[in-house]
Amino acid sequence: MRIYSFLTVLLWSCVFHVIHMMPSQKRTNKHSHSERITGLSENDGKTLHRTKRGWMWNQFFLLEEYTGPDTQYVGKLHTDQDKGDGNLKYILTGDGAGSLFIIDENTGDIHAAKKLDREEKSLYVLRAKAIDRKTGRQVEPESEFIIKIHDINDNEPKFTKDMYTASIPEMSGVGTSVIQVTATDADDANYGNSAKVVYSILQGQPYFSVDPETGIIKTALPDMSRENREQYQVVIQAKDMGGQMGGLSGTTTVNITLTDVNDNPPRFPQSTYQFSSPESAPPGTPLGRIKANDPDVGENAEIEYSISSGDGSDMFDIVTDKDTQEGIITVKKHLDFENKVLYTLRVEATNTHPDPRFLQLGPFKDTTLVKISVEDIDEPPVFSRPWYLIEVDEDAKEGSIIGQVVAQDPDIAKNAIKYSVDRHTDLDRIFNIYSGNGSLFISRPLDREETPWHNITVIATEINNPKQSSQIPVFIRILDINDHAPEFANYYETFVCENAKAGQLIQTVSAIDKDQPPRGHKFFFELVPEFAVQPNFSIVDNKDNTAGIMTKRNGYSRSKMSTYLLPIIIFDNDYPIQSSTGTLTIRVCACDSRGNMQSCNAEALLLPAGLSTGALVAILLCIIILLVLVVLFTALKRQRKKEPLIISKDDVRDNIVTYNDEGGGEEDTQAFDIGTLRNPEAREESKMRRDVIPETIFQIRRTAPLWENIDVQDFIHRRLKENDLDPAAPPYDSLATYAYEGNDSIANSLSSLESLTTEGNQDYEYLSDWGPRFKKLADMYGGEDSDRD
């Protein structure tokens, strides 16, 4: 292959060398005529005149990928102005000038300095100038020429993908298209066969083939089965030079998957299946699973199970598990071992998505035989009915039988049964049952009016196996017996007006009966025979279970008779007939002309709706008592004697002195003299403490007068500082409150704190002349011993 490529390069080199070495006269003649060219230059719109050209060259050609030891000769630039004396200088500009292409400025020979690749750049546009070395003037106008790079087969075909993935349905016919692969060659498709690609298959025969020109892969064998083989790997080669020897090639891999079609019917692996079920299994209980195998996948393998025939088709059912494609056999109805021991089923499995193309292969279904045996279980007793209803008269005697329940053991052993009453349903033990035969009887009297229905539960238990028991509800209805007499439906407050007329209706009465006769109630009303001929009132039966009370004379007098008692007999219409006597109380009242009652006797006087007089009086008394208590409490609070602020004059420590009483306060002023603090204009004078006996006589300090200072805050701070530094000041744990009232009061101060504190007595008699409002102050300071006390 390398020898063939070398020979090709050598042949092309010889051809281009011959072309480049053609006589210069021929090239000169080609460009010796005069031309006129109109075009756009830097000065747009001008007409350019081309002078006679003396350049001598044609288009240059150069082979790519030159690997020789010397630079590759491209060609020669020459002008007829060159006399060969070296006066002209050739200059080359344009694509790759100076780097890829080097020109001999004296001879005009052009060489390629580097190896070129046509796939990177297929042609180069250059410009040439010839300059007179002496004058620097161009002897020829600048001219443009092209160097074309000739292609060689140096690129192998490359596929668009390194690996292809495709799929095709199984059982496809021969020639079915699978996928198309494409390879490209970077060589020049217009020059030779370097870029002509031919496809062939290297791996994957005899299953697949490839079209050599299009690259389409097709099936080569019929009826390929996915169940036999699912994956195929095919290797495709693309070779240039038309597939001839010496061409370059590339390969790719195609992974082909056969997809499934429904070409296989389901098949049961067994012809017979055996299952068993206890007779106590409830409906819906699963007994087992069967599965038909289908080599297909996905929806092609979906199976539907059904029972096609058999003596157990109405006792059992089969459902399909969509996840596992199994058939689950379940109980459809209650089983009975004593009735039937063995069942046989014919189960059918069918594909749900058959493919019509493969129906000729046979039916896409299969059948199998399923046998189910029923196991005997010790069952509880079974009652003859699901529930019992018993009716009994309410006058039935104690011990009388009212009905019977019947149960039996459904097993073959037929064990004996005993009966009992669930006492949680008969807490009063009204009923009982004979344990041997299930007969119910009464233990206590019945009363329909109290309890018309009794709902009890009877338990049947096997004697040999007490764990086997069952329950049955028994509903007992108590039938009514006419054992209650009718009575008035309400308590009637009847009155008759003093001015009533004869034949006037004063009251309508009705009756009720606790019994419930089947034909409904029918009541009759009569007066007691002793009162049947009484001259005051009569009774009229309205035939609708009501009766009206009528007056028999004109006018009634409260002063003569304020109340009448009228006994009435009420009968019912059932058997045996029951009757009762009710007494109607009729009061005589005063009425207006319209018959509206105004007043009756004092005992029966009716008041309007609301609170009675006694209740109103009681409420009023309570309010008065409450007000009196409030007044007394307030008075006692005002007269309560006040405790002194300081109990002992000998010890004022740990006391809080508060001066907030404007009338009779300031009982304790012996401990401190704060008169000066209340008035800044008071005479500054040191005072000795009177709460304790001074042991040491301190030097009296003289302070600056403060009456000119009107800032109370500053005054208070200065006084506090003086007391802190004064050892003769009150104790540190005492609290003194200074209340400064201000200056310039026209009434002056009434407080005794303003006066000078001397050992002599002061005269406070003038306080007695100020009136009763200052009486307490005069009593406190008016006596001679007030200070001593």
Side-chain angles (χ1 to χ4, degrees):
M1 179 176 178
R2 293 181 179 177
I3 297 174
Y4 179 80
S5 300
F6 176 76
L7 294 175
T8 303
V9 173
L10 183 61
L11 177 63
W12 282 108
S13 300
C14 294
V15 172
F16 290 134
H17 182 71
V18 172
I19 296 174
H20 295 158
M21 298 302 295
M22 287 189 303
S24 60
Q25 289 82 2
K26 184 179 181 178
R27 293 197 297 268
T28 303
N29 294 335
K30 184 176 180 179
H31 301 283
S32 59
H33 59 276
S34 177
E35 298 177 322
R36 175 174 179 172
I37 301 175
T38 303
L40 296 178
S41 63
E42 295 181 357
N43 298 323
D44 296 340
K46 294 182 179 180
T47 302
L48 300 179
H49 296 276
R50 193 177 204 181
T51 59
K52 179 181 179 181
R53 285 186 55 181
W55 288 112
M56 302 170 62
W57 69 73
N58 281 330
Q59 191 175 36
F60 295 130
F61 296 92
L62 187 66
L63 287 177
E64 65 170 337
E65 304 292 345
Y66 176 72
T67 57
D70 300 327
T71 57
Q72 187 178 5
Y73 181 73
V74 178
K76 184 180 182 65
L77 296 180
H78 187 73
T79 177
D80 54 4
Q81 299 293 331
D82 188 358
K83 306 300 182 181
D85 54 2
N87 288 332
L88 295 182
K89 178 182 179 181
Y90 294 97
I91 298 176
L92 186 65
T93 59
D95 295 340
S99 58
L100 295 180
F101 302 103
I102 301 173
I103 188 171
D104 189 332
E105 63 181 12
N106 295 320
T107 64
D109 293 330
I110 302 174
H111 291 80
K114 296 181 181 181
K115 181 173 61 175
L116 302 178
D117 188 356
R118 190 201 65 82
E119 285 72 35
E120 293 182 1
K121 193 173 180 67
S122 60
L123 60 87
Y124 296 86
V125 179
L126 295 99
R127 292 175 296 279
K129 292 188 297 185
I131 301 175
D132 192 330
R133 293 180 181 273
K134 295 180 180 180
T135 63
R137 183 180 59 82
Q138 290 186 189
V139 297
E140 289 286 353
E142 185 179 66
S143 181
E144 184 179 274
F145 65 95
I146 297 174
I147 299 178
K148 283 189 176 182
I149 308 300
H150 268 301
D151 181 46
I152 64 172
N153 189 19
D154 59 343
N155 292 279
E156 72 277 2
K158 292 184 179 180
F159 285 93
T160 56
K161 294 181 181 180
D162 294 334
M163 181 176 293
Y164 291 83
T165 302
S167 63
I168 185 174
E170 63 173 332
M171 308 300 289
S172 297
V174 177
T176 302
S177 177
V178 180
I179 190 174
Q180 182 178 15
V181 296
T182 303
T184 58
D185 195 319
D187 293 326
D188 191 358
N190 299 321
Y191 183 76
N193 294 327
S194 299
K196 186 177 181 181
V197 178
V198 174
Y199 300 95
S200 62
I201 183 168
L202 301 181
Q203 177 182 324
Q205 295 174 331
Y207 307 103
F208 298 95
S209 63
V210 63
D211 188 297
E213 295 183 358
T214 62
I216 298 176
I217 299 174
K218 300 178 182 180
T219 58
L221 285 181
D223 301 331
M224 289 189 293
S225 176
R226 183 199 65 83
E227 289 74 28
N228 295 331
R229 183 176 178 182
E230 185 176 2
Q231 298 286 341
Y232 293 87
Q233 191 174 74
V234 179
V235 178
I236 302 298
Q237 181 189 63
K239 190 174 183 180
D240 59 11
M241 298 297 294
Q244 299 177 3
M245 182 179 295
L248 303 179
S249 64
T251 60
T252 188
T253 301
V254 181
N255 292 322
I256 301 175
T257 302
L258 296 184
T259 58
D260 186 57
V261 297
N262 193 2
D263 58 339
N264 294 281
R267 290 289 182 262
F268 283 105
Q270 299 175 216
S271 59
T272 304
Y273 292 86
Q274 294 280 350
F275 296 102
S276 62
S277 172
E279 61 176 336
S280 60
T285 303
L287 302 182
R289 292 171 176 253
I290 60 175
K291 183 176 182 180
N293 297 326
D294 190 334
D296 296 324
V297 294
E299 68 174 13
N300 296 322
E302 292 182 1
I303 300 173
E304 186 70 28
Y305 295 90
S306 61
I307 298 176
S308 59
S309 62
D311 56 1
S313 58
D314 58 340
M315 301 299 296
F316 300 94
D317 197 3
I318 187 169
V319 294
T320 304
D321 188 335
K322 298 299 183 181
D323 297 328
T324 63
Q325 297 300 315
E326 293 177 319
I328 305 173
I329 299 176
T330 60
V331 177
K332 188 176 182 180
K333 295 182 179 180
H334 287 285
L335 304 176
D336 188 359
F337 174 82
E338 291 72 26
N339 184 26
K340 191 173 181 61
V341 178
L342 182 64
Y343 294 90
T344 302
L345 305 175
R346 178 67 65 178
V347 176
E348 184 177 83
T350 307
N351 275 141
T352 57
H353 300 87
D355 194 331
R357 296 177 297 170
F358 307 103
L359 292 179
Q360 72 277 4
L361 299 179
F364 280 75
K365 61 182 178 179
D366 194 15
T367 60
T368 188
L369 193 65
V370 178
K371 295 182 179 181
I372 303 174
S373 59
V374 180
E375 299 175 351
D376 187 24
I377 299 296
D378 189 6
E379 298 176 277
V382 177
F383 286 92
S384 60
R385 302 179 188 176
W387 48 270
Y388 290 86
L389 174 62
I390 299 176
E391 294 182 345
V392 57
D393 294 333
E394 64 175 324
D395 62 347
K397 303 299 181 181
E398 296 181 18
S400 58
I401 296 175
I402 62 173
Q404 184 183 19
V405 296
V406 178
Q408 62 179 359
D409 184 8
D411 299 321
I412 296 178
K414 301 298 180 182
N415 294 321
I417 306 297
K418 67 175 182 179
Y419 302 91
S420 61
V421 176
D422 186 356
R423 291 304 173 187
H424 293 91
T425 60
D426 186 24
L427 298 177
D428 296 332
R429 295 181 176 269
I430 298 176
F431 302 95
N432 212 331
I433 191 171
Y434 290 109
S435 61
N437 59 11
S439 297
L440 288 165
F441 60 92
I442 300 173
S443 300
R444 292 190 178 183
L446 303 177
D447 188 356
R448 189 206 62 83
E449 287 71 32
E450 180 180 352
T451 307
W453 283 88
H454 294 272
N455 301 327
I456 66 174
T457 299
V458 175
I459 303 174
T461 307
E462 291 185 9
I463 296 177
N464 295 335
N465 187 5
K467 293 183 179 179
Q468 296 297 334
S469 63
S470 57
Q471 300 179 349
I472 195 72
V474 178
F475 307 106
I476 302 175
R477 179 184 179 184
I478 309 302
L479 300 179
D480 184 41
I481 297 297
N482 191 24
D483 56 349
H484 290 82
E487 58 187 13
F488 281 128
N490 299 298
Y491 174 76
Y492 297 101
E493 293 183 357
T494 307
F495 71 92
V496 62
C497 296
E498 289 183 308
N499 56 356
K501 304 297 182 180
Q504 183 177 341
L505 176 65
I506 62 173
Q507 182 69 58
T508 300
V509 296
S510 60
I512 58 174
D513 194 336
K514 294 181 180 179
D515 296 322
Q516 289 185 349
R519 294 175 294 178
H521 292 289
K522 181 64 177 178
F523 303 121
F524 304 95
F525 301 88
E526 294 181 359
L527 293 177
V528 177
E530 291 80 2
F531 290 84
V533 294
Q534 65 106 5
N536 296 311
F537 303 96
S538 62
I539 185 169
V540 177
D541 195 336
N542 296 327
K543 308 300 181 181
D544 59 355
N545 294 337
T546 62
I549 308 301
M550 313 293 293
T551 58
K552 293 185 65 176
R553 62 186 180 88
N554 295 326
Y556 296 85
S557 175
R558 281 192 297 170
S559 59
K560 294 181 179 180
M561 180 68 71
S562 61
T563 302
Y564 293 90
L565 299 178
L566 186 63
I568 300 174
I569 302 175
I570 308 174
F571 301 90
D572 60 18
N573 193 32
D574 206 354
Y575 179 84
I577 296 176
Q578 299 288 342
S579 64
S580 66
T581 301
T583 302
L584 188 65
T585 302
I586 303 174
R587 293 173 295 173
V588 181
C589 301
C591 302
D592 57 13
S593 59
R594 296 181 179 179
N596 297 322
M597 181 185 65
Q598 291 182 340
S599 64
C600 294
N601 50 5
E603 292 78 6
L605 188 62
L606 297 176
L607 296 176
L611 293 175
S612 63
T613 303
L616 294 175
V617 172
I619 293 174
L620 184 59
L621 288 176
C622 291
I623 295 175
I624 294 174
I625 293 173
L626 183 62
L627 292 175
V628 170
L629 291 175
V630 172
V631 172
L632 291 176
F633 178 76
T634 306
L636 290 174
K637 185 177 180 181
R638 290 182 178 178
Q639 295 180 2
R640 185 175 59 186
K641 184 177 182 181
K642 297 181 179 180
E643 296 293 334
L645 293 176
I646 300 179
I647 298 175
S648 174
K649 294 183 179 182
D650 297 333
D651 190 4
V652 297
R653 288 172 293 183
D654 297 332
N655 288 301
I656 298 176
V657 181
T658 304
Y659 300 94
N660 57 1
D661 194 342
E662 298 181 359
E666 303 178 0
E667 292 90 350
D668 185 7
T669 59
Q670 299 300 322
F672 314 100
D673 186 358
I674 61 174
T676 304
L677 294 177
R678 288 184 178 274
N679 189 358
E681 295 182 356
R683 182 178 178 179
E684 297 286 333
E685 195 169 299
S686 178
K687 309 227 176 14
M688 300 297 295
R689 289 181 57 180
R690 289 185 289 175
D691 55 337
V692 295
I693 300 175
E695 297 179 356
T696 305
I697 300 177
F698 296 92
Q699 183 178 1
I700 300 174
R701 294 186 295 106
R702 297 295 180 179
T703 59
L706 299 174
W707 56 82
E708 295 180 358
N709 189 358
I710 61 175
D711 189 350
V712 177
Q713 183 177 5
D714 183 58
F715 169 75
I716 293 297
H717 287 313
R718 293 184 60 180
R719 280 303 190 192
L720 289 174
K721 184 175 181 182
E722 290 177 5
N723 280 276
D724 289 340
L725 300 176
D726 188 0
Y732 293 106
D733 55 357
S734 297
L735 177 64
T737 302
Y738 307 105
Y740 175 58
E741 298 180 356
N743 297 331
D744 301 330
S745 175
I746 59 175
N748 294 325
S749 176
L750 300 179
S751 174
S752 61
L753 299 177
E754 194 79 18
S755 60
L756 296 175
T757 55
T758 61
E759 295 296 333
N761 294 333
Q762 298 188 28
D763 186 11
Y764 296 102
E765 294 296 335
Y766 62 89
L767 296 175
S768 302
D769 300 334
W770 286 7
R773 297 182 62 185
F774 297 92
K775 183 177 183 302
K776 186 173 182 179
L777 190 63
D779 293 340
M780 293 176 59
Y781 293 94
E784 296 180 356
D785 299 334
S786 61
D787 291 341
R788 296 182 178 88
D789 294 338

